[in-house]
Amino acid sequence: MAAESSDHDSAKDTAGQVAESTTLADGPSDTESATSDTAASSTDSTASTRQHSPALIATAVALPVALVVVVLGIAIFARNAPVDREPLVLGPVPAPAATGAACTNLLPALPTELGDYTKSTLVEPSPPATRAWQHTDGGDPIVLRCGLDRPLEFNRASALQIVNGVQWFEARDQAAKASTWFAVDRETYIALTVPDGSGPTPLQAVSDTITANLPATPLDPGPLPN
């Protein structure tokens, strides 16, 4: 009986050891648990990186493009922005009718633009009944003077050109590379000096303004030269 009891206890001890060993084998060790956590964290980080990569790439591409657009916008604005010109100095010429009704009616009606030319600011005191236009970057101006005396070159033999209802006499200045056109069929004489290359628009626009505001009068040319 003692022997059987001893064998039975031994079997119980052996079974307990096997059960304990089985329990340890089934449960994760600390090392395995830490390894598992590290792997899970790495997987989450990789997934997060994969999720944000397209957005980061899109941002990296969009920023240079936006910078280029801004630079181009600034360049276009700078190119199109008006340039501040220096006020224009015009010398006086005899204009006895500058304060008369004809010039008083004409000057306010003149356009601010003549083709590519825009109205200039004149240095004061400026000659009476005078207007000027320039390119945005300056250069030789277009100048109108109203109320002048009859030009000395205008006589009975002078050739005239009719532009939009106005008869003009041209006085050419080769040295200045410009022409001065005199309207000779109005109450007073009006001179329009245009630099070479200005095109027909300035003379046409001023002719339209004269026709709309000043009635035509008979010609009064000077005598033929001896």
Side-chain angles (χ1 to χ4, degrees):
M1 290 297 293
E4 292 178 357
S5 176
S6 176
D7 290 341
H8 182 70
D9 291 340
S10 176
K12 288 176 63 178
D13 293 340
T14 301
Q17 291 175 1
V18 170
E20 183 178 355
S21 176
T22 300
T23 301
L24 291 174
D26 291 343
S29 67
D30 292 344
T31 301
E32 291 174 340
S33 177
T35 302
S36 177
D37 292 343
T38 301
S41 176
S42 177
T43 301
D44 292 343
S45 176
T46 302
S48 176
T49 301
R50 289 176 180 174
Q51 291 176 359
H52 290 86
S53 292
L56 291 174
I57 293 173
T59 302
V61 172
L63 285 176
V65 172
L67 181 60
V68 170
V69 171
V70 170
V71 171
L72 289 176
I74 293 173
I76 292 172
F77 177 80
R79 183 182 64 183
N80 294 333
V83 178
D84 291 335
R85 296 177 306 214
E86 292 293 329
L88 189 63
V89 178
L90 293 180
V93 298
T99 58
C103 297
T104 302
N105 292 334
L106 177 64
L107 265 67
L110 290 169
T112 57
E113 296 182 0
L114 296 178
D116 296 332
Y117 291 73
T118 57
K119 184 179 177 182
S120 299
T121 301
L122 302 181
V123 172
E124 298 295 342
S126 62
T130 303
R131 291 288 183 275
W133 299 261
Q134 283 179 291
H135 278 298
T136 55
D137 56 353
D140 293 333
I142 295 173
V143 178
L144 180 141
R145 299 177 187 268
C146 184
L148 306 181
D149 287 323
R150 181 177 62 197
L152 296 177
E153 304 91 339
F154 177 50
N155 56 58
R156 296 178 186 276
S158 298
L160 301 180
Q161 295 189 41
I162 300 176
V163 179
N164 295 0
V166 179
Q167 297 189 63
W168 294 92
F169 164 67
E170 180 186 10
R172 176 73 183 158
D173 187 340
Q174 295 290 351
K177 296 183 179 181
S179 290
T180 297
W181 295 81
F182 293 90
V184 295
D185 61 346
R186 305 294 144 158
E187 177 184 336
T188 188
Y189 290 97
I190 303 161
L192 184 69
T193 301
V194 293
D196 290 354
S198 302
T201 300
L203 191 60
Q204 292 170 348
V206 172
S207 295
D208 288 337
T209 307
I210 291 174
T211 300
N213 293 273
L214 302 179
T217 60
L219 298 178
D220 183 24
L224 290 172
N226 296 327

